[in-house]
């Protein structure tokens, strides 16, 4: 059985057959590398106006340049949080995106009511590094536009519980698709079952495809080269047998 991939989780999973990208705070005590365990670090948009933002970002930058993390984030934009000045969010996001380009590390993005803003920033930057919108709640038309620009998309239990989940996940080319548990503590195996049901394919096929995506994303990082990113054309899911 191919290992599962949890592309965005906030705690170290108990399952031993999972490759997990764990989102941690800059002060996290990093242990020696463990099989299947990866870390990303960044400043959440909810903290974009914190008075110690610059000092915290310097910690993130040091972690990225010393290769203690495999991705940068989660950063992003959140128009729902009107108490966080949007100008501060934009500035924080751009600094993270610049760091992503400088280190060739993927960028993990939180986007709430901000997909148009994210796409605008993407068009301005034309990044070489991969961008991934986690917990994507966009409608199918938005998802197609996001994926067409080369941005990968991840769904978790909340997104897969939406009444329109099937149309949404079918809008993502499989080469751009990832799955996550975020902060739900739901087993990643259950998320794969929900996604496979929505796609009309079996879990082993879906697990193999997402594992291949993960290998393309992080295989070069393991060898010390820049991540290759995901720029291959879309494909359709294999029907369930």
């Amino acid at each position: 059985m191919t290992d599962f991939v949890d592309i965005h989780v906030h705690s170290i999973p108990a399952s031993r057959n999972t490759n997990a990208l764990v989102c941690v705070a800059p002060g996290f005590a990093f242990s020696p590398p463990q099989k299947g365990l990866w870390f990303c670090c960044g400043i959440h948009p909810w903290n974009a106006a914190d008075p110690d933002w610059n000092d915290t970002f310097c910690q993130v930058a040091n972690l990225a340049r010393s290769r203690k993390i495999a991705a940068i984030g989660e950063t992003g934009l959140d128009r729902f949080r009107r108490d966080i000045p949007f100008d501060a969010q934009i500035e924080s996001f751009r600094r993270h995106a610049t760091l992503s380009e400088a280190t060739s590390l993927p960028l993990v993005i939180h986007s709430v009511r901000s997909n148009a803003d994210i796409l605008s920033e993407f068009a301005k930057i034309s990044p070489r590094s991969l961008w991934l919108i986690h917990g994507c709640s966009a409608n199918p038309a938005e998802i197609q536009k996001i994926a067409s620009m080369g941005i990968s998309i991840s769904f978790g239990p909340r997104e897969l519980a939406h009444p329109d989940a099937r149309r949404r996940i079918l809008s993502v080319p499989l080469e751009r698709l990832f799955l996550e548990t975020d902060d739900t503590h739901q087993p990643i195996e259950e998320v794969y079952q929900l996604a496979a049901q929505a796609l009309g394919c079996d879990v082993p096929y879906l697990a193999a495809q997402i594992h291949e995506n993960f290998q393309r994303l992080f295989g070069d990082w393991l060898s010390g080269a820049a991540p290759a990113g995901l720029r291959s054309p879309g494909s359709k899911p294999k029907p369930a047998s």
Side-chain angles (χ1 to χ4, degrees):
M1 175 73 181
T2 302
D3 288 350
F4 292 107
V5 173
D6 190 343
I7 204 66
H8 187 77
V9 60
H10 289 274
S11 58
I12 295 175
S15 175
R16 294 187 177 184
N17 65 331
T18 300
N19 290 292
L21 184 62
V22 184
C23 185
V24 299
F28 180 79
F30 288 89
S31 58
Q34 301 177 43
K35 182 181 182 297
L37 197 59
W38 313 69
F39 295 100
C40 70
C41 187
I43 302 175
H44 198 282
W46 296 353
N47 304 117
D50 286 359
D52 58 351
W53 187 95
N54 277 309
D55 290 342
T56 305
F57 184 77
C58 285
Q59 295 179 51
V60 175
N62 287 336
L63 290 170
R65 293 184 176 116
S66 64
R67 304 180 72 80
K68 288 186 177 180
I69 56 176
I72 294 167
E74 64 188 283
T75 181
L77 302 171
D78 192 328
R79 285 193 175 273
F80 183 76
R81 289 295 302 267
R82 296 184 179 180
D83 56 320
I84 313 296
F86 199 68
D87 287 349
Q89 294 187 44
I90 284 282
E91 175 62 22
S92 175
F93 180 76
R94 288 174 178 168
R95 292 278 299 276
H96 283 81
T98 299
L99 180 62
S100 169
E101 288 297 284
T103 58
S104 298
L105 294 180
L107 192 68
V108 178
I109 300 168
H110 168 105
S111 178
V112 176
R113 301 180 184 176
S114 303
N115 291 324
D117 303 290
I118 296 294
L119 292 181
S120 176
E121 293 300 311
F122 186 92
K124 292 173 186 174
I125 297 169
S126 296
R128 294 167 298 170
S129 297
L130 175 79
W131 287 19
L132 167 75
I133 296 181
H134 95 86
C136 185
S137 59
N139 62 49
E142 284 184 307
I143 288 172
Q144 288 179 346
K145 187 172 183 179
I146 291 167
S148 72
M149 294 185 73
I151 300 173
S152 288
I153 292 170
S154 175
F155 295 109
R158 298 183 186 96
E159 294 74 42
L160 292 170
H162 191 277
D164 205 21
R166 176 173 170 78
R167 290 181 62 232
R168 291 181 177 187
I169 198 168
L170 284 170
S171 300
V172 185
L174 282 186
E175 286 81 3
R176 308 229 195 283
L177 178 64
F178 286 97
L179 297 173
E180 63 179 70
T181 58
D182 199 1
D183 58 358
T184 65
H185 302 291
Q186 186 165 346
I188 190 64
E189 293 87 350
E190 293 181 9
V191 181
Y192 271 77
Q193 290 169 2
L194 291 170
Q197 183 178 7
L199 286 166
C201 65
D202 55 44
V203 170
Y205 174 80
L206 180 60
Q209 177 63 63
I210 293 181
H211 190 268
E212 182 179 325
N213 296 348
F214 186 77
Q215 287 291 103
R216 286 203 304 273
L217 179 56
F218 290 112
D220 288 339
W221 186 86
L222 276 174
S223 66
L230 306 178
R231 290 290 184 268
S232 54
S235 69
K236 298 297 182 183
K238 176 183 177 182
S241 55

